[in-house]
Amino acid sequence: MTAVFDGHNDLLLRLFKAPEKREAIWLQGTEGGHLDLPRMRAGGFAGGLFAIYVPSPVLEDLDALHDAMHEPPYDVPLPPLMRADAALGVAMAQAGHFHWMERVSGGAFRCCRTVAEIRAAMAEGVIAGVLHMEGAEAIGPDLDALHLFAAMGLRSIGPVWSRPTIFGHGVPFRFPSGPDTGPGLTEAGVALVAECNRLRIMIDLSHLNEAGFRDVARLSDAPLVATHSNAHVVCASSRNLTDWQLGAIRGSGGMVGLNFATVFLRPDGRDDPVMGWEPVLRHLDHLIGALGEDHVGFGSDFDGAVVPRGIGDVAGLPALIGALRTHGFGEALIAKLARENWLAVLERTWGG
Ligand code: ZN
């Protein structure tokens, strides 16, 4: 089975929403969703970035968002900025779930901070988890919490989910739309980029608008990475990357993780899992053409999105790999897409 390292999932949010069921969710895998330990092993999920994400009190369970995305065109208003003191406890709780996952896994899951640790875990058949933060709501302008989360294992951060933060502005969930939807990074956002560079924490560009993307591209000394975004030319969502953005990512030695969300895959932008492999392959072909085959991987969005029926959940990764083989991708390219490109870009970002 092909081992996969994945750029994005929302399992920690699922655990946060139902902490009383967390053993059933994570260890027994009896609670549905996309990810749990038994199905990760069944699907060849060898590691990935696990996102801390703070839900808004409004738009609480994202149901309104998913309802709107069922009937394009749509333009869903974003929730307001959330203060760090309101977000910090939630972010801490999710970091706690992440370390709990390691503690109760009986050696099957390990929190990793370096690529050497990821490779060692994968070689032992241990799933390698990397702590990521999707939206920097929990970080105040003094950036002290960034250092605290770094000490807890945080190795990657997106300055924004789509809702605005004190650091910048994200794209709204809008289809069709380009990503040029508002102003760039704030002064605090500029400082965040510099501190992430100093700490060698990866900066995730997914969800950031175009002006913010240009600011990070100008300021950051690290490769430009979008952990879970697709090609705008195939699906005209505000969340997808234009050819100009793909060119900037390529020039920086960066990376894009293919998002499995149907709203970012399907040319019609619908939140509908009934679809074939063709849109998935079109995105991959375009991303590989624009970025080169060393700069594309997966960013599943498992447990955060509706995914194609052919994938279904993490146990469907072998079906995806099979579709790539049928499409004519060779084993060397599949290994790069499945894991090697992620490990290489993390090494370029974090240092050896
Ligand atoms: Zn996301």
Side-chain angles (χ1 to χ4, degrees):
M1 192 166 18
T2 302
V4 171
F5 187 95
D6 176 52
H8 187 87
N9 75 70
D10 290 300
L11 175 60
L12 298 179
L13 177 63
R14 251 179 88 214
L15 297 174
F16 172 77
K17 283 179 167 176
E20 73 286 357
K21 292 185 188 162
R22 67 179 182 170
E23 287 194 15
I25 292 172
W26 171 232
L27 295 177
Q28 280 97 52
T30 52
E31 299 300 311
H34 293 149
L35 289 173
D36 50 53
L37 199 45
R39 280 181 295 168
M40 282 160 137
R41 308 193 96 163
F45 186 103
L49 272 63
F50 287 71
I52 291 170
Y53 166 77
V54 180
S56 284
V58 289
L59 208 71
E60 200 175 73
D61 51 12
L62 303 178
D63 279 354
L65 187 61
H66 284 288
D67 284 350
M69 293 196 297
H70 216 74
E71 285 302 330
Y74 57 81
D75 183 6
V76 187
L78 289 170
L81 187 140
M82 184 182 281
R83 288 172 48 97
D85 53 5
L88 189 56
V90 178
M92 282 284 295
Q94 293 185 23
H97 288 304
F98 180 72
H99 286 280
W100 169 85
M101 283 164 56
E102 173 176 338
R103 218 162 62 235
V104 299
S105 72
F109 178 81
R110 191 181 299 159
C111 164
C112 294
R113 293 170 162 84
T114 66
V115 173
E117 288 177 4
I118 295 171
R119 287 193 190 279
M122 286 168 61
E124 294 168 48
V126 174
I127 297 169
V130 173
L131 191 59
H132 165 74
M133 188 178 276
E134 181 174 36
E137 276 80 4
I139 315 286
D142 53 31
L143 305 181
D144 287 351
L146 180 69
H147 289 262
L148 292 179
F149 281 101
M152 291 181 231
L154 188 79
R155 302 302 299 128
S156 170
I157 187 169
V160 297
W161 172 70
S162 279
R163 152 189 70 196
T165 66
I166 61 169
F167 304 108
H169 301 266
V171 288
F173 291 88
R174 187 186 290 166
F175 182 96
S177 170
D180 189 10
T181 57
L185 294 183
T186 64
E187 208 174 302
V190 172
L192 178 69
V193 169
E195 201 65 6
C196 286
N197 283 170
R198 200 169 300 133
L199 295 170
R200 307 205 84 152
I201 291 175
M202 190 171 85
I203 299 161
D204 181 12
L205 296 161
S206 287
H207 288 276
L208 200 57
N209 67 11
E210 187 178 321
F213 182 106
R214 284 179 190 274
D215 286 338
V216 175
R218 180 170 49 83
L219 295 164
S220 177
D221 65 15
L224 300 175
V225 175
T227 59
H228 59 306
S229 294
N230 294 340
H232 193 273
V233 72
V234 180
C235 166
S237 165
S238 56
R239 273 279 285 105
N240 285 341
L241 299 161
T242 64
D243 284 351
W244 177 83
Q245 289 176 304
L246 295 177
I249 289 168
R250 179 182 188 136
S252 74
M255 170 97 186
V256 174
L258 179 83
N259 193 319
F260 300 169
T262 68
V263 284
F264 309 135
L265 285 172
R266 295 172 60 114
D268 64 7
R270 287 175 65 92
D271 202 8
D272 180 355
V274 182
M275 58 182 278
W277 294 112
E278 201 262 347
V280 176
L281 300 169
R282 271 176 71 191
H283 281 281
L284 279 175
D285 284 341
H286 187 79
L287 291 173
I288 291 168
L291 295 163
E293 63 176 48
D294 295 331
H295 304 278
V296 184
F298 302 143
S300 69
D301 224 343
F302 279 142
D303 281 331
V306 173
V307 305
R309 205 168 45 174
I311 298 175
D313 60 37
V314 66
L317 287 173
L320 170 64
I321 301 293
L324 302 189
R325 270 190 201 114
T326 304
H327 189 52
F329 287 3
E331 292 309 310
L333 176 55
I334 286 174
K336 287 181 181 186
L337 299 174
R339 61 185 178 277
E340 290 306 328
N341 288 345
W342 267 122
L343 300 189
V345 83
L346 293 176
E347 213 149 46
R348 291 194 292 276
T349 306
W350 297 344

